[in-house]
Amino acid sequence: MSDIDTNQTVATFAAGLPGAAGVFRRHGVSFCCGGQHSLAEAAAEAGISVETLMDDLQALVDSAGQDAPQDTGLLISHILGRYHETHRAELNSLIPLAEKVERVHGEHPEAPLGLADVLVRLQRDLEERMREEEQVLFPMMQSGDSEMVRVLLTGMCERHQAEARSIGEIEHVTHGLSVPDGACNSWRALYAGMRKLSDDLVTHGHLEKTKLFPRFKQ
């Protein structure tokens, strides 16, 4: 039986299921301007069967998080090393690169105008969340203070939603991360980095929301 709800919006899948953005791009499904369409509506607009999308997304659901450590301490260490430090390093390099592309190619009709501003805001919000996880939430999880953890998790889920909105904004201002013909190497490098960052953010959020946080919600 499929776990895929065809009434869910495309944007929900793109922001919450690792790999979904790639599936949508491959099938020509917009999850930016068309992000509020249901899966069935998006499939019809793209001229493909909803079953095709469902099969591809179900494969992602089945594989998502399979490599996550079962031990809570190891899972936290994995999130810190693989995602927290990676996000920091990548945003530090992507923001000036976005500023450069906007400055040099600002008159191009497909220029990602506003991308640097989105990334600066994302960096600020993400850093605030990650710092709270590192200094407060994760130490409490490791000490077994489940009652206080449950209180903190409410705010964390709201912050994940804000990051999901940023991913949608990135998709919008970059025209679906589509590199125009004749784009320079900086522009190509920027979009390659943006794809990885967006994919990592989705996988990071998915690990926390479906693998780590539920352990403390009982």
Side-chain angles (χ1 to χ4, degrees), residues 107-202:
E107 295 184 0
H108 192 289
E110 296 179 62
L113 299 179
L115 177 59
D117 288 341
V118 174
L119 292 179
V120 168
R121 186 171 67 252
L122 173 63
Q123 182 184 50
R124 182 194 64 225
D125 294 344
L126 189 60
E127 180 59 40
E128 183 179 336
R129 174 173 73 83
M130 293 192 300
R131 189 165 56 245
E132 184 172 341
E133 288 182 338
E134 293 161 2
Q135 297 178 0
V136 182
L137 180 62
F138 289 169
M140 283 185 175
M141 286 179 167
Q142 292 176 308
S143 70
D145 189 354
S146 297
E147 183 175 349
M148 189 59 191
V149 166
R150 283 194 290 272
V151 174
L152 292 174
L153 287 183
T154 301
M156 286 298 168
C157 291
E158 293 173 356
R159 293 183 184 183
H160 278 134
Q161 291 172 357
E163 289 161 25
R165 289 192 293 272
S166 292
I167 293 173
E169 288 184 73
I170 290 168
E171 191 71 14
H172 177 68
V173 299
T174 61
H175 310 279
L177 286 171
S178 177
V179 181
D181 293 338
C184 69
N185 289 335
S186 293
W187 200 334
R188 294 180 183 278
L190 173 63
Y191 280 18
M194 291 307 310
R195 286 190 190 90
K196 183 179 182 301
L197 174 67
S198 295
D199 289 346
D200 277 357
L201 285 169
V202 172

Side-chain angles (χ1 to χ4, degrees), residues 1 29 78 84:
M1 181 178 177
V29 172
H78 172 68
H84 283 211

Side-chain angles (χ1 to χ4, degrees), residues 28-130:
V29 172
S30 169
F31 54 95
C32 168
C33 297
Q36 297 311 308
H37 289 170
S38 69
L39 198 63
E41 291 169 339
E45 185 169 308
I48 59 175
S49 71
V50 69
E51 289 77 16
T52 297
L53 279 182
M54 288 176 63
D55 289 345
D56 286 354
L57 294 174
Q58 185 62 50
L60 296 177
V61 170
D62 294 340
S63 63
Q66 285 188 346
D67 297 333
Q70 294 302 308
D71 177 78
T72 296
L74 291 177
L75 179 54
I76 288 174
S77 295
H78 172 68
I79 289 171
L80 291 172
R82 172 61 183 84
Y83 296 104
H84 283 211
E85 293 310 313
T86 301
H87 294 334
R88 287 184 173 113
E90 291 182 348
L91 280 165
N92 281 338
S93 63
L94 287 170
I95 290 171
L97 188 55
E99 291 172 340
K100 176 183 177 180
V101 171
E102 289 185 56
R103 182 175 63 253
V104 174
H105 302 287
E107 295 184 0
H108 192 289
E110 296 179 62
L113 299 179
L115 177 59
D117 288 341
V118 174
L119 292 179
V120 168
R121 186 171 67 252
L122 173 63
Q123 182 184 50
R124 182 194 64 225
D125 294 344
L126 189 60
E127 180 59 40
E128 183 179 336
R129 174 173 73 83
M130 293 192 300

